[in-house]
Amino acid sequence: MITKRNIALCVILSIVTCGLYGIYWFVTLHNDTEEAAGQADASSAVVAFLLTLVTCGIYGLYWCYKRGQLIEQAYKMRGIQESDKAVIYLILSIVGLSIVAYALAQNELNKIADIDSGSK
């Protein structure tokens, strides 16, 4: 089950904790997008985070792009045609605004969680 999260709170906690909450948010975004897209056992969030560290953030760019694709796939699984936002997430990450890409992805996951629960 995808957990709805307060985006503003996630951003504030990421800033206040000097990025520690951001790591947790990264892991939960990874797990939630894969669950939403029906790929819950596809890859490990910890491995993705470690690859991002080892590659000095380069894997993080790919990771953000892949989140956009998985979110589009999750919408398609639910019979909803949604535009692919993978390139937007990638561009935001390239210019150093990964937290904005995280927030946009979380917003989409919150919408998917609403769809799954039947509320709006």
Side-chain angles (χ1 to χ4, degrees):
M1 178 177 209
I2 301 168
T3 305
K4 285 184 66 172
R5 289 183 176 77
N6 184 321
I7 298 167
L9 184 62
C10 289
V11 170
I12 290 169
L13 285 174
S14 295
I15 294 167
V16 170
T17 62
C18 300
L20 292 177
Y21 187 83
I23 295 169
Y24 170 76
W25 195 16
F26 177 96
V27 169
T28 58
L29 277 172
H30 182 93
N31 293 336
D32 285 350
T33 52
E34 291 202 352
E35 182 180 338
Q39 299 180 358
D41 297 328
S43 65
S44 167
V46 174
V47 171
F49 177 70
L50 291 176
L51 282 172
T52 301
L53 285 178
V54 170
T55 62
C56 299
I58 293 171
Y59 183 81
L61 300 175
Y62 167 75
W63 181 87
C64 278
Y65 180 80
K66 191 68 179 169
R67 295 307 101 193
Q69 289 182 329
L70 288 173
I71 289 170
E72 179 190 17
Q73 182 180 340
Y75 275 117
K76 283 182 181 177
M77 286 176 52
R78 287 156 180 83
I80 300 170
Q81 186 62 33
E82 187 68 29
S83 63
D84 186 0
K85 295 179 177 70
V87 175
I88 294 170
Y89 298 164
L90 176 62
I91 292 170
L92 286 168
S93 296
I94 289 172
V95 298
L97 295 173
S98 294
I99 197 164
V100 177
Y102 291 8
L104 292 173
Q106 185 65 59
N107 184 50
E108 295 300 322
L109 287 171
N110 288 347
K111 290 178 186 177
I112 291 170
D114 284 341
I115 292 167
D116 288 349
S117 68
S119 63
K120 189 140 180 137

